Amino acid sequence: MALAFDEFGRPFIILREQDQKTRLRGIDAQKANIAAGKAVARILRSSLGPKGMDKMLQGPDGDVTITNDGATILEQMDVDNQIAKLMVELSRSQDYEIGDGTTGVVVMAGALLEQAERQLDRGIHPIRIAEGYEMASRVAVEHLERISQKFEFDVNNYEPLVQTCMTTLSSKIVNRCKRSLAEIAVKAVLAVADLERKDVNLDLIKIEGKVGGNLEDTELIYGILVDKDMSHPQMPKQIEDAHIAILTCPFEPPKPKTKHKVDIDTVEKFETLRKQEQQYFDEMVQKCKDVGATLVICQWGFDDEANHLLMHRNLPAVRWVGGVELELIAIATGGRIVPRFQELTSEKLGKAGMVREKSFGTTKERMLYIEHCANSKAVTIFIRGGNKMMIEETKRSIHDALCVARNLIRNKSIVYGGGAAEIACSLAVDAAADKYPGVEQYAIRAFAEALDSVPMALAENSGLQPIETLSAVKSQQLKENIPFYGIDCNDVGTNDMREQNVFETLIGKQQQILLATQVVKMILKIDDVISNSEY
Amino acid sequence: MPIDKIFKDDANEEKGERARMASFIGAMAVADLVKSTLGPKGMDKILQSTGRGHSVTVTNDGATILKSLHIDNPAAKVLVDISKVQDDEVGDGTTSVVVLAGELLREAEKLVTSKIHPMTIIAGYRMAAECARDALLKRVIDNKENAEKFRSDLLKIAMTTLCSKILSQDKEHFAEMAVDAVFRLKGSTNLEAIQIIKKPGGSLRDSFLDEGFILDKKIGIGQPKRIENAKILVANTAMDTDKVKIYGARVRVDSMTKVAEIEGAEKEKMKDKVNKILAHGINCFVNRQLIYNFPEELFADAGVLAIEHADFEGIERLGLVTGGEIASTFDNPESVKLGHCKLIEEIMIGEDKLIHFSGVEMGQACSIVLRGASHHVLDEAERSLHDALCVLSQTVNDSRVLLGGGWPEMVMAKEVDELARKTAGKKSHAIEAFSRALVAIPTTIADNAGLDSAELVAQLRAEHHNEGCNAGIDVISGAVGDMKERGIYEAFKVKQAVLLSATEAAEMILRVDEIITCAPRRREDRM
């Protein structure tokens, strides 16, 4: 720890409790940070691509997650190092923004850091490296724009969309039935998409999972699935042409928010109170009945008495439905969420063609299907699978596929996958490097080399000779000047990604490059790390 | 420069070969643990809980054994999970699924050591599983049309399931019972409607299926012990002190007389309620909640049988059997549907008095009374019977059946072997390995029965070379025999679930190349 001294040789105290802190500065700090970032990237490297492996993560409470989704791995890893946390953030922001390519972005950042280390050893100043990277990333993003292709589809011809989703799903454990899952994802997105505004609200797609059955049983339901059953075991299990009252008030005596006390001091009061209570229940049920509801969905619980009254008046009801589900039901059925019985009117009721209860397995597990809704905008993807971990992983995979489909609807440009885009960019950046006169030239070349690392990792994971394969593809691209050649991960026999139908979205790729560059720049600019050594 | 720690202090990271080793070993250890319980001559395990009382369970049900284990190895947890799902979904085959997954991983380990990439193995396994399933589909027997034959199929399935359990001595008896019970459900898979009552004493043979409904409760004192043509009101209402539910209400009085008045009013209210209930014209009242002495006395006065504190399932079942609705308000007696039964009486089983409802309207629910020497025997008997009931209820819906005794495995193994011969590339090794893993199941069955497994399985394989062969291992005579003649049947649904989830689990574990264990949560955090 470097200290400052005054003229009498006494140390100045600059940091509080400075003896207990460790401090790294200058080149050491950068090296340490780079090492940490690389370590994180190395963990994810083997998960990249269709032949990537999974990671098994055991959480603090002993629960097991098996996944190859980059964002999930990093999130569950519970890292402690500050720089490693930055990498976690990086993958998370890719997840929020694009939803796919979370592994790729971290691998990319790792490669950039590795190259930066080499430039540092040459004595190039970190800021110059950062600037070089910045320029290179701009070149790469522009080049991507140039090689991207418009991609035509419409509601009736969604085959191209399915193909793209299949690329995403092929790297996951669910690739056994990627075709059917991709179709489900695309249909779901198209069902909720607003093609005019080019917007998709993914909140309208609910993903529900239940263990048992197998992956092939996964289905898309045009409607809502609620993991609840009728409040009274003897209520009808199937309702046609349901008029649904969606309530957020409990079937219980009112609970005014202001503090109050009702004092009972005479027998008469006791009697009236009792009568009132009964009347109250009666009124509540009558109200629902009056507006013509044939099904009540309530966010809260029911009193036993109310429950029986509902049953008695032949008004099926569902209780304890979560807020999010309630909203979805309201959207799907075109109903309004009613917070008070007084405000219940027949216009506010939702409509659904069919509501039915379905039971699963040998245990008493039931779910409620709400189908043929008035407004079919909300859909549910219902996943079945052999075990809990499988279902969780399938949920994540479907989410990725949904995001890809959404991005395509927003922006129809695509680039080719299998490392083809990266190789094309690498060539472009390399060519551009010579035009820059300064020290940045080296950094730009380093960037080009870093871009190569993604296809390299792909080849490595697929059991191919990485350097040989990469150089072959690269020369092929350069020779024929066609940016569609990538790594043939699945051993199909052709390098042409157009033929293999391996696409990725343009914004996804651009975002990957930009985000990775940003984080690397940030890490390079750090030259002093002060931390508690006790930590 | 050394890399800084990325993880927290206690976290653990295992990579590549080591990670794979750890998961293989963990999964195989779990599979070996339950392996010896497989088959009709499988052994039981004693489980002693670490909780208070150190209660002991004796079982050979795979799911029960695995559920009670505290496992730290993540791969082993995957196996425990598939066994649990198998239990929930089809009820039986919980041991087989773990053993098969374990064998698949054991074979995979050999392939990995001979430098075949896990992804290649997975691809091979997938092809093999698909092929095995098709092989089974080709050989299923479906007797749905023929009711009599279907019943005998069910009976055979029940016997096959039960013969590996403690009930094997009286398997005919129990199989009859289980089939009868399941037929009463009329195709629903809701096993809640079948009530199993355990009463120690007597022998297992004394267990019986009751057409009516038995409630494990006593009749209140001074109330009739026997009612013919009973009208039953099934209720869920407070019969202790009926509180005022309006929020914030409380009683505040300033003198003793007032207290007495309020108390009087309360009593009056209860009396009112009882009168309203009586106005339904009933002679039996069953409530889910407590009935206090005062209303009980009122019921006794009116000559009505009042039963308190039947648990929730009991109430639901009673509603189902008697056809009455579960009531909570009593203002309109004319529209409440009452339950009916011909006779309610108190019966004695062993030392205990129970209430027996016979001649019920809707025959959907029924009760099975299990008798046996000790609690352990009864618990195990219940689990076995539950397995049988689950399988049967699933088979009623999916009526396809297969032969048992290692027959399906041999059929699958043969087809998979043929596929391996046709497949080019490294995948064929994995497909071959899959077939070896399948054969491991009959091998284990034979081993557990103390037979010469190598000899028997070889014989079996030779037999299966002929088309349309029905040979399997007959553990009783210790030889290869015709399974169709011996009447050893299994449900197709169970076998399919075993095959698919075992493959899925093996695939999942194989794909892992790194295990990251987070630092365990500190105890203090939870406080």
Side-chain angles (χ1 to χ4, degrees):
Chain A
M1 174 81 56
L3 290 174
F5 298 95
D6 64 5
E7 66 249 49
F8 306 110
R10 284 177 308 198
F12 279 120
I13 305 292
I14 302 168
L15 297 165
R16 200 175 346 143
E17 290 163 5
Q18 80 181 349
D19 305 342
Q20 285 163 30
K21 309 242 162 137
T22 49
R23 185 168 180 197
L24 278 174
R25 41 193 319 200
I27 201 87
D28 280 347
Q30 270 135 6
K31 285 267 172 84
N33 291 343
I34 288 175
K38 266 164 59 188
V40 174
R42 204 169 327 130
I43 292 175
L44 287 192
R45 199 179 154 92
S46 65
S47 289
L48 197 73
K51 294 275 166 85
M53 304 297 276
D54 287 6
K55 307 277 176 247
M56 193 184 264
L57 300 149
Q58 197 168 17
D61 299 321
D63 43 335
V64 179
T65 312
I66 298 179
T67 181
N68 80 3
D69 180 48
T72 315
I73 297 172
L74 290 176
E75 209 132 304
Q76 304 259 330
M77 233 159 53
D78 197 14
V79 290
D80 206 24
N81 184 293
Q82 305 85 339
I83 300 300
K85 275 183 187 155
L86 270 182
M87 301 291 267
V88 176
E89 279 296 318
L90 167 68
S91 131
R92 198 180 298 160
S93 58
Q94 173 84 9
D95 194 27
Y96 285 161
E97 204 42 41
I98 306 295
D100 187 33
T102 49
T103 314
V105 70
V106 175
V107 172
M108 179 79 211
L112 285 175
L113 285 173
E114 202 174 323
Q115 291 297 331
E117 195 178 11
R118 245 176 253 169
Q119 305 306 319
L120 283 176
D121 285 343
R122 282 182 164 171
I124 300 178
H125 193 269
I127 295 294
R128 303 299 285 272
I129 301 176
E131 269 164 22
Y133 276 3
E134 179 71 39
M135 291 173 195
S137 72
R138 227 175 296 140
V139 173
V141 168
E142 274 164 24
H143 187 69
L144 278 177
E145 192 91 53
R146 223 170 309 134
I147 62 168
S148 73
Q149 290 196 332
K150 283 285 176 234
F151 160 89
E152 285 317 315
F153 66 89
D154 53 60
V155 185
N156 300 318
N157 174 26
Y158 51 77
E159 183 59 26
L161 277 179
V162 175
Q163 293 289 353
T164 323
C165 287
M166 269 164 69
T167 311
T168 310
L169 290 176
S170 64
S171 66
K172 314 280 175 183
I173 194 169
V174 296
N175 66 1
R176 182 154 48 99
C177 30
K178 60 179 172 185
R179 173 84 215 177
S180 60
L181 287 182
E183 265 173 34
I184 286 176
V186 171
K187 279 185 196 158
V189 169
L190 284 179
V192 301
D194 186 344
L195 290 174
E196 293 293 304
R197 280 197 305 123
K198 291 194 174 177
D199 193 28
V200 182
N201 185 359
L202 284 188
D203 289 341
L204 292 178
I205 301 175
K206 193 174 165 225
I207 303 180
E208 189 72 53
K210 191 137 210 124
V211 284
N214 42 16
L215 211 52
E216 282 84 0
D217 300 338
T218 301
E219 55 180 340
L220 176 69
I221 296 159
Y222 288 97
I224 307 285
L225 194 66
V226 191
D227 195 358
K228 292 276 176 290
D229 50 3
M230 295 291 181
S231 64
H232 196 287
Q234 286 158 335
M235 284 176 180
K237 305 279 181 243
Q238 188 164 342
I239 305 155
E240 278 169 41
D241 279 326
H243 292 247
I244 306 169
I246 304 161
L247 299 170
T248 53
C249 45
F251 270 94
E252 270 164 18
K255 280 183 185 169
K257 293 208 175 66
T258 41
K259 239 184 168 168
H260 74 294
K261 278 178 190 128
V262 182
D263 282 349
I264 302 171
D265 46 9
T266 60
V267 177
E268 290 77 53
K269 275 193 185 165
F270 184 79
E271 295 278 323
T272 34
L273 212 56
R274 209 185 83 203
K275 287 229 173 66
Q276 215 153 43
E277 185 188 297
Q278 261 173 5
Q279 206 186 345
Y280 189 79
F281 282 128
D282 212 44
E283 259 171 30
M284 281 192 297
V285 178
Q286 196 54 45
K287 197 95 197 169
C288 298
K289 204 72 192 166
D290 281 347
V291 293
T294 54
L295 174 70
V296 177
I297 289 177
C298 184
Q299 195 175 8
W300 303 103
F302 302 163
D303 195 272
D304 283 343
E305 271 176 55
N307 200 1
H308 177 247
L309 271 177
L310 285 169
M311 155 76 194
H312 199 84
R313 300 272 174 88
N314 202 7
L315 191 61
V318 186
R319 59 182 152 183
W320 297 122
V321 179
V324 185
E325 286 166 342
L326 212 62
E327 252 171 58
L328 277 176
I329 292 173
I331 295 170
T333 60
R336 293 266 295 278
I337 297 175
V338 180
R340 260 185 303 186
F341 285 102
Q342 287 79 359
E343 284 163 24
L344 202 60
T345 55
S346 53
E347 298 89 64
K348 288 181 183 170
L349 294 182
K351 288 177 190 60
M354 169 75 89
V355 178
R356 62 195 166 98
E357 202 181 85
K358 195 175 168 191
S359 55
F360 293 98
T362 60
T363 45
K364 222 175 79 180
E365 303 230 29
R366 303 205 189 97
M367 287 186 124
L368 207 64
Y369 284 67
I370 302 174
E371 289 170 310
H372 308 296
C373 301
N375 172 6
S376 66
K377 275 262 154 168
V379 294
T380 307
I381 297 174
F382 184 45
I383 300 170
R384 307 300 310 274
N387 53 50
K388 211 170 54 214
M389 293 144 219
M390 189 77 192
I391 294 215
E392 289 303 314
E393 178 66 0
T394 312
K395 271 189 193 171
R396 284 189 286 268
S397 312
I398 293 255
H399 172 256
D400 282 8
L402 290 175
C403 289
V404 169
R406 176 195 60 179
N407 293 340
L408 277 176
I409 288 177
R410 278 196 189 153
N411 184 345
K412 288 186 181 175
S413 308
I414 49 151
V415 289
Y416 287 88
E422 280 88 354
I423 296 173
C425 284
S426 158
L427 288 171
V429 172
D430 216 15
D434 298 338
K435 289 177 205 145
Y436 289 90
V439 187
E440 286 85 358
Q441 198 184 91
Y442 283 89
I444 297 173
R445 267 200 208 107
F447 191 92
E449 220 152 294
L451 278 168
D452 281 348
S453 75
V454 173
M456 195 101 93
L458 272 178
E460 220 173 285
N461 292 343
S462 312
L464 303 168
Q465 291 289 340
I467 299 177
E468 231 169 77
T469 321
L470 179 64
S471 47
V473 174
K474 216 168 179 179
S475 73
Q476 204 176 358
Q477 275 211 10
L478 204 58
K479 214 179 331 170
E480 300 176 26
N481 200 16
I482 301 175
F484 309 140
Y485 294 116
I487 308 286
D488 178 17
C489 297
N490 290 323
D491 214 18
V492 179
T494 168
N495 281 335
D496 193 337
M497 290 296 131
R498 254 181 322 179
E499 255 171 66
Q500 287 203 22
N501 281 323
V502 180
F503 312 120
E504 281 180 73
T505 55
L506 172 67
I507 27 177
K509 260 283 116 59
Q510 283 180 333
Q511 193 75 17
Q512 261 187 11
I513 291 176
L514 289 176
L515 278 175
T517 315
Q518 245 173 46
V519 167
V520 169
K521 265 173 65 190
M522 189 147 67
I523 293 175
L524 281 176
K525 279 188 176 167
I526 300 168
D527 77 333
D528 203 337
V529 180
I530 301 167
S531 56
N532 269 330
S533 56
E534 295 294 295
Y535 202 35
Chain B
M1 134 149 305
I3 303 169
D4 274 12
K5 274 200 317 269
I6 302 181
F7 300 110
K8 294 220 168 96
D9 278 346
D10 299 334
N12 200 348
E13 188 190 6
E14 293 195 46
K15 286 190 162 187
E17 287 301 306
R18 276 186 59 85
R20 219 164 273 145
M21 271 273 271
S23 46
F24 282 151
I25 288 174
M28 282 193 286
V30 169
D32 285 344
L33 187 81
V34 291
K35 203 173 176 180
S36 66
T37 64
L38 194 73
K41 293 277 166 86
M43 304 302 271
D44 289 6
K45 309 262 176 223
I46 285 191
L47 307 167
Q48 189 173 27
S49 81
T50 48
R52 213 160 39 143
H54 293 278
S55 61
V56 170
T57 315
V58 184
T59 183
N60 84 2
D61 181 41
T64 314
I65 297 172
L66 293 177
K67 243 187 287 186
S68 334
L69 293 177
H70 295 285
I71 288 176
D72 200 39
N73 185 301
K77 277 189 182 153
V78 175
L79 288 199
V80 174
D81 196 54
I82 56 168
S83 152
K84 213 160 65 196
V85 172
Q86 178 85 6
D87 195 25
D88 289 348
E89 201 45 30
V90 285
D92 193 28
T94 50
T95 313
S96 318
V97 69
V98 176
V99 173
L100 184 58
E103 288 302 326
L104 284 175
L105 287 171
R106 197 190 305 274
E107 293 295 335
E109 191 198 9
K110 282 184 212 153
L111 293 177
V112 170
T113 33
S114 62
K115 297 275 176 271
I116 293 181
H117 195 266
M119 284 298 169
T120 318
I121 303 176
I122 289 171
Y125 275 9
R126 267 189 197 160
M127 283 171 68
E130 202 57 39
C131 159
R133 191 168 146 225
D134 291 342
L136 283 187
L137 272 172
K138 261 186 265 164
R139 302 290 301 268
V140 289
I141 311 162
D142 192 344
N143 282 332
K144 185 100 189 168
E145 308 306 321
N146 189 337
E148 208 167 292
K149 252 195 165 161
F150 184 48
R151 193 189 151 85
S152 89
D153 278 356
L154 283 185
L155 214 60
K156 283 171 189 159
I157 290 175
M159 280 204 266
T160 313
T161 308
L162 290 173
C163 76
S164 64
K165 310 282 159 122
I166 198 168
L167 300 176
S168 61
Q169 292 294 320
D170 307 300
K171 61 181 176 201
E172 288 89 5
H173 182 62
F174 282 100
E176 281 282 347
M177 231 157 73
V179 172
D180 280 344
V182 167
F183 266 113
R184 295 173 73 92
L185 290 178
K186 299 187 181 81
S188 116
T189 53
N190 186 5
L191 292 180
E192 296 286 324
I194 300 174
Q195 186 191 23
I196 299 179
I197 294 173
K198 295 174 284 183
K199 286 285 162 204
S203 74
L204 279 173
R205 189 169 278 283
D206 297 335
S207 313
F208 60 93
L209 172 82
D210 197 280
E211 298 280 311
F213 183 76
I214 293 174
L215 201 60
D216 196 356
K217 287 278 170 264
K218 288 198 185 73
I219 295 177
I221 299 157
Q223 291 166 348
K225 295 274 185 262
R226 180 187 162 91
I227 298 174
E228 280 177 41
N229 283 331
K231 290 193 216 69
I232 309 161
L233 181 66
V234 187
N236 174 18
T237 183
M239 290 300 279
D240 36 8
T241 46
D242 210 352
K243 284 182 227 80
V244 175
K245 282 171 195 149
I246 290 170
Y247 187 68
R250 59 169 193 176
V251 178
R252 171 171 261 178
V253 287
D254 41 19
S255 70
M256 284 305 282
T257 43
K258 288 258 175 72
V259 177
E261 272 171 27
I262 299 270
E263 221 179 291
E266 230 169 51
K267 248 186 182 160
E268 201 56 39
K269 184 182 169 193
M270 187 47 74
K271 211 169 180 171
D272 263 6
K273 196 167 183 179
V274 172
N275 282 336
K276 268 187 208 155
I277 292 170
L278 291 177
H280 288 72
I282 51 162
N283 46 20
C284 176
F285 175 71
V286 184
N287 192 15
R288 186 170 91 83
Q289 297 173 24
L290 278 176
I291 302 178
Y292 266 26
N293 290 353
F294 176 64
E296 194 175 343
E297 190 191 319
L298 292 174
F299 281 124
D301 283 348
V304 168
L305 174 64
I307 302 163
E308 64 165 9
H309 220 238
D311 50 49
F312 198 77
E313 282 86 43
I315 281 286
E316 247 180 63
R317 254 182 239 137
L318 198 59
L320 217 60
V321 205
T322 59
E325 71 181 57
I326 300 169
S328 294
T329 54
F330 310 99
D331 289 327
N332 352 3
E334 60 288 339
S335 61
V336 172
K337 235 174 102 196
L338 296 179
H340 292 280
C341 80
K342 290 237 167 58
L343 180 68
I344 300 175
E345 60 180 342
E346 203 174 53
I347 53 166
M348 297 271 291
I349 298 177
E351 289 284 288
D352 296 307
K353 286 180 191 162
L354 303 166
I355 304 169
H356 183 228
F357 298 77
S358 56
V360 287
E361 258 184 6
M362 323 238 285
Q364 282 213 15
C366 55
S367 302
I368 291 176
V369 179
L370 287 179
R371 309 298 313 276
S374 72
H375 277 294
H376 304 301
V377 173
L378 284 174
D379 285 346
E380 177 64 359
E382 186 191 359
R383 276 191 292 272
S384 316
L385 199 58
H386 179 257
D387 278 7
L389 289 174
C390 287
V391 175
L392 290 178
S393 67
Q394 293 293 332
T395 318
V396 169
N397 288 334
D398 182 351
S399 60
R400 289 172 290 183
V401 294
L402 294 166
L403 296 176
W407 177 84
E409 282 82 10
M410 293 311 290
V411 169
M412 290 192 273
K414 189 184 154 213
E415 289 288 323
V416 172
D417 250 346
E418 250 157 50
L419 177 73
R421 254 174 268 152
K422 276 183 261 167
T423 312
K426 278 193 262 188
K427 270 183 261 181
S428 72
H429 293 288
I431 300 174
E432 236 173 352
F434 195 93
S435 129
R436 274 200 298 278
L438 283 170
V439 176
I441 289 194
T443 313
T444 315
I445 294 179
D447 275 339
N448 286 347
L451 302 171
D452 184 354
S453 63
E455 169 70 26
L456 275 176
V457 172
Q459 251 184 50
L460 203 56
R461 193 196 290 266
E463 289 272 341
H464 269 268
H465 203 65
N466 308 327
E467 269 311 311
C469 146
N470 294 330
I473 293 179
D474 182 0
V475 178
I476 314 298
S477 67
V480 171
D482 190 326
M483 288 296 115
K484 204 164 189 172
E485 275 169 28
R486 310 275 147 101
I488 298 177
Y489 279 67
E490 280 181 81
F492 170 71
K493 200 164 175 192
V494 174
K495 271 282 158 273
Q496 175 184 281
V498 166
L499 181 71
L500 294 182
S501 33
T503 319
E504 218 164 66
E507 187 181 313
M508 211 156 180
I509 293 171
L510 268 173
R511 282 177 69 103
V512 171
D513 76 334
E514 179 154 348
I515 302 177
I516 297 166
T517 316
C518 293
R521 199 180 297 277
R522 294 269 157 78
R523 279 275 173 199
E524 295 90 68
D525 295 351
R526 258 187 240 151
M527 295 298 184

